Amino acid sequence: ILVGFIVDSYNFSIVYFCLVAIVGVGVVQSFNTDIPESIYKPEKDGKGSSVIHEVIHDRSLLKIYLLSMATYFAWDCFSFLIPVLGVRYGYSATDIGLFLSLFAIGTLIVRAFMPWISGKITELRTLCLSYGLSSLVFLLLPIVDGVLYSCLLSFIFGILAGLWHACIQNIILIKVGKQRAGEASGLRLMTGNLSGMLGTTGSGAI
């Protein structure tokens, strides 16, 4: 919201100057912060196989990772298409920033309620419901016209996207075990970034 307001009130140069200042402060603080470091020593188990090997040979685990890629695809495409739709409908930069901010707020709020949600409904059913409702959001986004409606849809999509990531991460950790959580999460992040890159590039080309 703040970036959109600055763009509307002043210009892009000030926004980039603010970003440089924020990152610069972070760099300076990183040299003045005492961060404890530890050496990771992976526990040896009897399997001796990597997560990639299991994904290739375990169809159920492969399906989970494909769902994870679809999640990143939808997340990145939403972040890409909201500014495009905003320009199409003539919304201001402040409005577009508001949509993206409500999306982010939705992802944060739902994760606070994940312990309660996971106790009421299984991860699989949560994923099915959230994917179905997200498809409806994508269907309505280019149809509805109005800041209020776009704010509502962005917030709802944020809630659904927050559900995806939490549920899929939990399912993956259950499948591979906590000992290989780092490798599994790294693979999920890598495949997700690849999916998001192809999704946004493809959306732009279309």
Side-chain angles (χ1 to χ4, degrees):
I1 298 174
L2 179 60
V3 171
F5 175 77
I6 294 174
V7 170
D8 287 334
S9 303
Y10 302 97
N11 55 53
F12 284 95
S13 301
I14 296 179
V15 173
Y16 286 112
F17 176 79
C18 293
L19 292 175
V20 170
I22 292 172
V23 174
V25 171
V27 171
V28 172
Q29 288 296 321
S30 66
F31 288 104
N32 299 322
T33 303
D34 185 18
I35 301 176
E37 297 183 4
S38 61
I39 300 176
Y40 172 69
K41 295 181 179 180
E43 299 180 15
K44 294 183 178 180
D45 53 18
K47 297 181 180 179
S49 61
S50 66
V51 174
I52 296 178
H53 182 269
E54 287 195 27
V55 170
I56 295 174
H57 292 87
D58 188 338
R59 290 180 62 88
S60 62
L61 189 58
L62 176 60
K63 291 178 181 179
I64 296 171
Y65 270 92
L66 290 176
L67 281 176
S68 176
M69 292 178 68
T71 298
Y72 276 92
F73 181 93
W75 183 301
D76 289 343
C77 284
F78 178 86
S79 301
F80 170 78
L81 290 174
I82 280 295
V84 175
L85 287 173
V87 172
R88 173 187 173 186
Y89 288 122
Y91 296 145
S92 66
T94 304
D95 293 334
I96 296 173
L98 178 62
F99 302 154
L100 294 175
S101 296
L102 287 172
F103 164 71
I105 291 172
T107 62
L108 293 175
I109 289 178
V110 73
R111 293 186 185 188
F113 291 94
M114 278 307 299
W116 180 82
I117 295 174
S118 61
K120 297 293 183 180
I121 187 172
T122 63
E123 282 91 352
L124 182 59
R125 181 165 295 182
T126 301
L127 283 175
C128 291
L129 291 173
S130 59
Y131 277 127
L133 293 174
S134 298
S135 300
L136 181 60
V137 171
F138 271 123
L139 180 65
L140 293 175
L141 272 174
I143 299 175
V144 299
D145 184 9
V147 174
L148 181 60
Y149 293 120
S150 296
C151 284
L152 181 60
L153 290 176
S154 298
F155 181 71
I156 292 174
F157 188 82
I159 292 176
L160 299 173
L163 287 172
W164 298 342
H165 280 287
C167 289
I168 290 178
Q169 181 72 10
N170 190 40
I171 293 174
I172 289 176
L173 292 181
I174 292 174
K175 289 286 291 183
V176 304
K178 294 181 179 180
Q179 292 81 6
R180 294 180 294 171
E183 183 184 357
S185 298
L187 179 61
R188 176 172 176 257
L189 183 61
M190 182 188 71
T191 55
N193 288 337
L194 175 62
S195 175
M197 179 189 70
L198 296 176
T200 52
T201 304
S203 298
I206 294 173

